[in-house]
Structures are given as structure tokens and as C-alpha cells.
């Protein structure tokens, strides 16, 4: 992917690229650390339809949403010849009883037979998180197991 | 009332009224600069009420305001940004100077203000307000637009041009001889070059010199250094503003960011006082005779600025709508036009009419700029519609 990096003197840097539909998507990274999501207009490629300021948390959440499907798809492809095994991304919500607690406390594997193969946080993949990995709101867990096991996992994450 | 009490009451009421005016300006999404000027005109000599005690403080505070305006401008840019900006936009920058300084020069000559007046008024009509332009671009969500880098690099060029222009103007205003003038200019150019080179190579060390983890120490060192450099620059006839600007460029990295954050409220306060002080020293009665000229200049330089932005962005293969937006974004004039006029009036004892003309001009342009930026797209769209009437019938 060819990302265009343009200096905005006095403001920061713009990083964007053109998607297949012809629009440009990217971010303006302000020098003080702020981040704006930008999306060009359909009819006027030079102009922006939206410039959305994001906090660090919001940017991380968005990165997770965008990054996780790729990982899940890859795992699903890996497991294609193993019928009955699926991969899904499960969110840790703000209301989750395990928010701020260690992964081991969920006893996920014992209770559902499903395993957590990765945790996505702030756009970063943490592969094979250990039992001492502390969950926080906005994390996405990539879980592998049977469909029933995954439903049970989701229930644990949301209701305990 | 005692002298101190009177001064405090007068200053307090001015600041409070400024706050209210700023709030009104914010409500309509416009720049508060014209309102500050109007406030100054109303309270100054020949105004509605004359507040004498406040104007003494206003003078020094206004000077500090100019130093802070330029210091923060310098802090905003890194030296590499300035160098690449200069390389990329020098042609557009030259077109900008010629197109926008000429109307000011011509009007000054027509009014019989001589060479110095021409150079002054040319500067007033030339320089866009980077403060207003940057704010408008952000407010209208245009930071991601393709024409925005074109606009920003023209602004960078203008700010660098100021660093060369102000020493020239100071020299002319001081009425120095040919040789002394050349020497001053050489000193200024040398200082700019040395600072740019130093900032590119050793910016870290300059930053380390003023940096401190303690906010109070940091603020004192920063402000102290700025005033010191500004004072020394003024002694060398290089102009206080340029000294502060160069110091701002030399400070880099995270120190620059922290400094900008720390100084921003101070700048806003003192810059507001600077606008008021300028208004205070301008007799409102001098405005009506030059009003027509100010209006004429406003119309002509709006067209020339739009033309400049249009031309510069067309060279970067930006579409019609983007060209209009780029042109309109540059229209606003503000703080620096007043800095130039203020310098001319205080140092050079220029004709009082020049101050009046400059205030009236900035009053128009600071209001017109943000409006132009907002209406550029709808205007182009309706022109397009007029040119290509919808096909009638089958």
C-alpha cells in the first residue's frame, strides 16, 4: 500500500492513501499528538467530507476494529481444513466484569474449551496473552474454538 | 480616585470589555481582532471615552505582545519545515509579494507618503494573517484537503519574508543613511542565516538552554530569553519582532511544543492589549478621510490574494474548487499588518493617516477573510451553474 506522507508546516503531518473506490482515507497527525481521521469527498477529491478529531483511546479502538478482521480471517483460513473450529473476535466492553482484571481470572479455557490466541489493543497484536495479561475496555480478544464454546466465551466476557 | 486605582479600573474595564467582545466574535465564528481594534479606537484619543492611564501600560504590554506573537510563530515552525517550505514555494511566494504588495505601494505613493510609506503599506497589504488562516482551515475541516499544503507553504514563505522585511523597514523608518542601512540589513540577514543553520544543526542545545521540568522556571527563562533577544535585536536595529521569531525557530522539538502550550494564553492576552494599544493611539477622526482608500485596497487585495492562491494551487494540479478554497483561505490580514503599521507609527513618526488607513484596512480584511473562506465553494458552484445552464426539455 502506497501511503502519501505530506508535511503540513506548523500543524503536523498528513498520511493518506487512495482506496479502490477512488476516495482518499487517512489521518492528520497534529504535532501536539492529536489525531484526526480524514476522508475525502466523493465528488471533489481535493476536499474532505470529514475531519474527525480522535482521542488516543478512540484511535486505538478504531485501529482494533480495522485490524482484527484481518487476523481473524487469516486464522479462519488456517483452520479451514478443521471442521467445527472457528475464530471470532470478542470485545471487552466497559461494563465487562473482567475489565481491569487478569485474563487468568476468566478461566476461559476451563469453562468453554475455547482458547484466546491473541489480544488486540491500540492497534497492536499481543499474541498468546498469558494468564497475567490484564484486560481493559476496548480490547478485542481473538478466540478459537467451537461455535458453542465461543458463544459461552462471549457470555463470560460480558456477564461474568 | 488615586492614580493606581484609576489605572487598575481603566485597565480592568478594557480587559473585561475585550473578553465580552471576544465572546461575541466567537459566537459568529469570526476573528476577534477587528473588535479589539474597534475597542481601542473607542477608548483612545478622540474616542468615546479617553482612558489615559491605561494607555501607558498598554504601550509596554503591546510591545510584549508583538514579541510573543513572533516568538510563537517561530515556535510553530521547525527549521527543516522552513527550508523545505522555502524551496517548494519560492515562486508562489514571489508572485504573492508582487501581486499583493503592489496595491499598497501604489496607494501610498498616490497619497504622497513617499518611499517609506510605500514600503510600509506594501507590507500591510502583502502579509496574510497566518493565525486567522490556520484557525479557519481547522474550523472548516480542511486540514486534510489537497490544497492545504499549498496554502500553508505560502504562509511559511510570508513569515520568513517578514524576517527579512522587518529589518529593512526598521532601517528605512530610522532614516539611516545608505551605508548604515546596508550594514543593518547585512546584520539581519547574517543573523537569520546563522540562526537557521544553528537550528538545523544544534537546535537541541538551544532548547536545552531554556528547557526545564519546572513550569515556573521554564516560563521565566523563556520569557526572559525572548525579551532579552528582542531588546538586543532592537538595539541592532534589526527589529524586536525578528529577534523573537529567530529565537522561536531555534527552539525545537518537545521544548518548542511545551513552550507554545505555556505561552499561548500569555500571547493571547498581550496580543489583545497590543491591538487595543494600536487602536488607542489611532484617532478615529482620521479614519473617514481614508475610508474609501481602505475599501478600495480591501477589494483589490482580496482579488489579488485569491488570484495568488488560485495560481499556486493550479500549479499543483488541484481542481477548480480547491483553487478557489486556497485563494480564499489567504485573504485574511490581521496581526502582522498591524505589527507593521504599529512599527511605522511608533518608530518612524509616519503620517497619522497611515495608522488610520491600516486599522480600517485590517478591520475589513480580518472580517472578510473568514467569510471569503466560507463562501468560496458556494460562489464557485453558482458561477458554474450560471455558465452551464441545465439543459431544457428532452
Amino acid at each position: 500500500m502506497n501511503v502519501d506522507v505530506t508535511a503540513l508546516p506548523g500543524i503536523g503531518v498528513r498520511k493518506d492513501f487512495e482506496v479502490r473506490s477512488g476516495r482518499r482515507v487517512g489521518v492528520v497527525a497534529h504535532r501536539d499528538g492529536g489525531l484526526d481521521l480524514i476522508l475525502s469527498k466523493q465528488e471533489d477529491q481535493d476536499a474532505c467530507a470529514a475531519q474527525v478529531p480522535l482521542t488516543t483511546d478512540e484511535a486505538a479502538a478504531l485501529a482494533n476494529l480495522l485490524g482484527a478482521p484481518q487476523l481473524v480471517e487469516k486464522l479462519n483460513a488456517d483452520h479451514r481444513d478443521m471442521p467445527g473450529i472457528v475464530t471470532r473476535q470478542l470485545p471487552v466492553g466497559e461494563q465487562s466484569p473482567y475489565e481491569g482484571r487478569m485474563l487468568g481470572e476468566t478461566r476461559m479455557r476451563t469453562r468453554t474449551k475455547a482458547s484466546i490466541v491473541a489480544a488486540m489493543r491500540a492497534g497492536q497484536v499481543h499474541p498468546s496473552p498469558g494468564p497475567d495479561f490484564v484486560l481493559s475496555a476496548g480490547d478485542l480478544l481473538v478466540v478459537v474454538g467451537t461455535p458453542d464454546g465461543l458463544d459461552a466465551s462471549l457470555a463470560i466476557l460480558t456477564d461474568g | 480616585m488615586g492614580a493606581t486605582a484609576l489605572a487598575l479600573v481603566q485597565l480592568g474595564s478594557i480587559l473585561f470589555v475585550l473578553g465580552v467582545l471576544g465572546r461575541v466574535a466567537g459566537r459568529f465564528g469570526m476573528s476577534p481582532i477587528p473588535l479589539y481594534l474597534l475597542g481601542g479606537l473607542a477608548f483612545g484619543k478622540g474616542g468615546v471615552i479617553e482612558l489615559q492611564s491605561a494607555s501607558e501600560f498598554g504601550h509596554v504590554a503591546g510591545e510584549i505582545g508583538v514579541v510573543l506573537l513572533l516568538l510563537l510563530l517561530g515556535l510553530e515552525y521547525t527549521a527543516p519545515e522552513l527550508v523545505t517550505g522555502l524551496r517548494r514555494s519560492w515562486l508562489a511566494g514571489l508572485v504573492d509579494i508582487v501581486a499583493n504588495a503592489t496595491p499598497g505601494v501604489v496607494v501610498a505613493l498616490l497619497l504622497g507618503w513617499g518611499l517609506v510609506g510605500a514600503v510600509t503599506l506594501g507590507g500591510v497589504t502583502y502579509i496574510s494573517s497566518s493565525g486567522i488562516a490556520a484557525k479557519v482551515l481547522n474550523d472548516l475541516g480542511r486540514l486534510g484537503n489537497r490544497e492545504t499544503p499549498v496554502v500553508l507553504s505560502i504562509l511559511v514563505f510570508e513569515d520568513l519574508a517578514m524576517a527579512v522585511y522587518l529589518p529593512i523597514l526598521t532601517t528605512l523608518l530610522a532614516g539611516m543613511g545608505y551605508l548604515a542601512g546596508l550594514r543593518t540589513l547585512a546584520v539581519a540577514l547574517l543573523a537569520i542565516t546563522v540562526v537557521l543553520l544553528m537550528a538545523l544543526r544544534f537546535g537541541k542545545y538551544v532548547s536545552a538552554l531554556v528547557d526545564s521540568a519546572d513550569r515556573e522556571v521554564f516560563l521565566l527563562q523563556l520569557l526572559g530569553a525572548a525579551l532579552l533577544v528582542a531588546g538586543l535585536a532592537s538595539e541592532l536595529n534589526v527589529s524586536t519582532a525578528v529577534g523573537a521569531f529567530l529565537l522561536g525557530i531555534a527552539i525545537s522539538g518537545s521544548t518548542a511544543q511545551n513552550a507554545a502550550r505555556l505561552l499561548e494564553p500569555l500571547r493571547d492576552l498581550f496580543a489583545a492589549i497590543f491591538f487595543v494599544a494600536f487602536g488607542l493611539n489611532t484617532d478615529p477622526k482620521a479614519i473617514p478621510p481614508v475610508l474609501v482608500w481602505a475599501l478600495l485596497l480591501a477589494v483589490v487585495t482580496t482579488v489579488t490574494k485569491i488570484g495568488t492562491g488560485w495560481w499556486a494551487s493550479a500549479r499543483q494540479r488541484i481542481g477548480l474548487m480547491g483553487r478557489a478554497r486556497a485563494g480564499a483561505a489567504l485573504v485574511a490580514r490581521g496581526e502582522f499588518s498591524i505589527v507593521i503599521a504599529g512599527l511605522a507609527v511608533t518608530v518612524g513618526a509616519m503620517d497619522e493617516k497611515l495608522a488610520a488607513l491600516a486599522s480600517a484596512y485590517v478591520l475589513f480584511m480580518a472580517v472578510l477573510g473568514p467569510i471569503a473562506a466560507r463562501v468560496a465553494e458556494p460562489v464557485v458552484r453558482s458561477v458554474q451553474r450560471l455558465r452551464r445552464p441545465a439543459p431544457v426539455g428532452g
Side-chain angles (χ1 to χ4, degrees):
Chain A
M1 189 68 66
N2 223 347
V3 177
D4 291 321
V5 179
T6 315
L8 301 176
I11 293 172
V13 185
R14 184 181 77 203
K15 300 169 192 163
D16 62 351
F17 60 90
E18 196 172 310
V19 294
R20 199 145 29 134
S21 66
R23 299 173 87 166
R24 289 180 304 120
V25 185
V27 295
V28 172
H30 290 255
R31 227 162 21 190
D32 57 12
L35 204 68
D36 293 350
L37 176 71
I38 52 169
L39 175 66
S40 76
K41 278 186 187 164
Q42 187 77 61
E43 70 283 359
D44 179 1
Q45 291 298 309
D46 298 329
C48 277
Q51 178 191 333
V52 189
L54 297 176
T55 65
T56 319
D57 288 351
E58 291 159 356
L62 183 64
N64 276 348
L65 294 181
L66 294 172
Q70 195 191 352
L71 184 65
V72 170
E73 192 170 323
K74 186 173 174 302
L75 286 169
N76 267 332
D78 290 349
H79 300 150
R80 195 161 294 142
D81 38 335
M82 285 184 253
I85 300 289
V86 286
T87 310
R88 223 191 278 166
Q89 36 177 324
L90 305 178
V92 180
E94 260 168 53
Q95 310 298 329
S96 170
Y98 291 104
E99 135 83 31
R101 291 166 64 186
M102 288 193 290
L103 185 58
E105 291 180 65
T106 61
R107 299 193 301 118
M108 190 78 83
R109 171 97 100 162
T110 326
R111 288 159 74 185
T112 67
K113 304 282 185 289
S115 30
I116 297 171
V117 296
M120 311 273 301
R121 175 181 295 166
Q124 305 270 328
V125 182
H126 298 264
S128 317
D132 54 347
F133 184 87
V134 179
L135 298 171
S136 79
D139 288 356
L140 274 182
L141 303 181
V142 180
V143 189
V144 179
T146 61
D148 288 347
L150 293 179
D151 289 343
S153 302
L154 181 62
I156 289 174
L157 282 177
T158 38
D159 306 322
Chain B
M1 213 184 283
T4 314
L6 187 66
L8 286 179
V9 166
Q10 293 190 349
L11 190 63
S13 32
I14 289 182
L15 289 183
F16 190 81
V17 170
L18 287 189
V20 174
L21 290 176
R23 189 186 213 162
V24 172
R27 178 74 44 88
F28 297 103
M30 62 182 264
S31 159
I33 293 173
L35 293 182
Y36 294 163
L37 280 174
L38 283 178
L41 286 172
F43 290 132
K45 60 178 173 189
V48 188
I49 324 161
E50 190 171 346
L51 301 181
Q52 190 54 48
S53 338
S55 89
E56 282 163 34
F57 171 77
H59 176 66
V60 179
E63 281 293 312
I64 298 178
V66 174
V67 168
L68 288 177
L69 267 174
L70 270 291
L71 176 66
L72 269 125
L73 188 67
L75 286 173
E76 232 166 65
Y77 300 123
T78 61
E81 273 177 355
L82 286 177
V83 174
T84 43
L86 199 61
R87 224 180 1 226
R88 206 169 28 168
S89 65
W90 64 272
L91 190 56
L94 285 184
V95 170
D96 187 22
I97 292 182
V98 174
N100 295 291
T102 311
V105 169
V106 170
V107 166
L109 290 177
L110 283 177
L111 288 173
W113 290 342
L115 175 71
V116 182
V119 173
T120 310
L121 202 59
V124 169
T125 57
Y126 159 58
I127 186 124
S128 300
S129 164
S130 39
I132 298 181
K135 186 171 183 311
V136 165
L137 287 177
N138 199 17
D139 286 352
L140 297 180
R142 289 185 188 164
L143 290 186
N145 285 16
R146 213 178 265 164
E147 79 277 1
T148 296
V150 178
V151 174
L152 291 174
S153 45
I154 290 181
L155 292 178
V156 171
F157 187 93
E158 288 187 358
D159 295 337
L160 264 179
M162 277 280 279
V164 179
Y165 166 82
L166 283 179
I168 297 178
L169 183 65
T170 322
T171 314
L172 287 173
L173 288 170
M176 276 184 272
Y178 191 63
L179 213 65
L182 268 185
R183 209 192 55 207
T184 309
L185 195 58
V187 169
L189 288 177
L190 191 71
I192 293 164
T193 318
V194 168
V195 167
L196 271 182
L197 283 177
M198 281 216 346
L200 277 171
R201 291 269 165 82
F202 311 108
K204 266 190 302 210
Y205 302 105
V206 182
S207 309
L209 206 65
V210 290
D211 203 1
S212 167
D214 187 302
R215 276 169 54 96
E216 192 177 329
V217 174
F218 187 34
L219 183 61
L220 289 174
Q221 286 184 345
L222 204 59
L223 203 57
L227 295 180
L228 260 174
V229 170
L232 288 177
S234 167
E235 193 54 37
L236 290 172
N237 276 313
V238 179
S239 126
T240 47
V242 171
F245 179 63
L246 292 179
L247 178 70
I249 291 173
I251 298 174
S252 62
S254 61
T255 313
Q257 280 167 36
N258 292 336
R261 214 169 297 143
L262 203 58
L263 288 177
E264 218 164 37
L266 268 185
R267 187 234 2 224
D268 294 343
L269 174 66
F270 283 104
I273 296 178
F274 164 69
F275 292 122
V276 175
F278 183 81
L280 284 176
N281 289 319
T282 311
D283 191 345
K285 290 192 200 76
I287 289 186
V290 291
L291 202 60
V292 177
W293 289 108
L295 250 174
L296 183 74
L297 273 182
V299 173
V300 171
T301 57
T302 298
V303 175
T304 49
K305 268 290 175 193
I306 292 180
T308 307
W310 187 287
W311 180 82
S313 47
R315 286 181 70 229
Q316 307 286 330
R317 286 188 217 86
I318 284 160
L320 205 66
M321 207 61 100
R323 291 176 209 172
R325 280 192 304 262
L330 290 167
V331 168
R333 316 291 206 283
E335 59 276 31
F336 299 118
S337 301
I338 295 293
V339 168
I340 293 168
L343 196 66
V345 173
T346 50
V347 178
M350 272 299 300
D351 200 319
E352 194 179 45
K353 281 192 192 142
L354 192 133
L357 179 52
S359 347
Y361 177 70
V362 170
L363 280 179
F364 290 136
M365 298 312 277
V367 176
L368 208 59
I371 295 176
R374 276 183 177 77
V375 301
E377 286 191 20
V379 166
V380 171
R381 211 165 289 136
S382 47
V383 168
Q384 280 176 331
R385 216 170 295 138
L386 279 178
R387 280 226 194 123
R388 272 175 292 174
V392 184

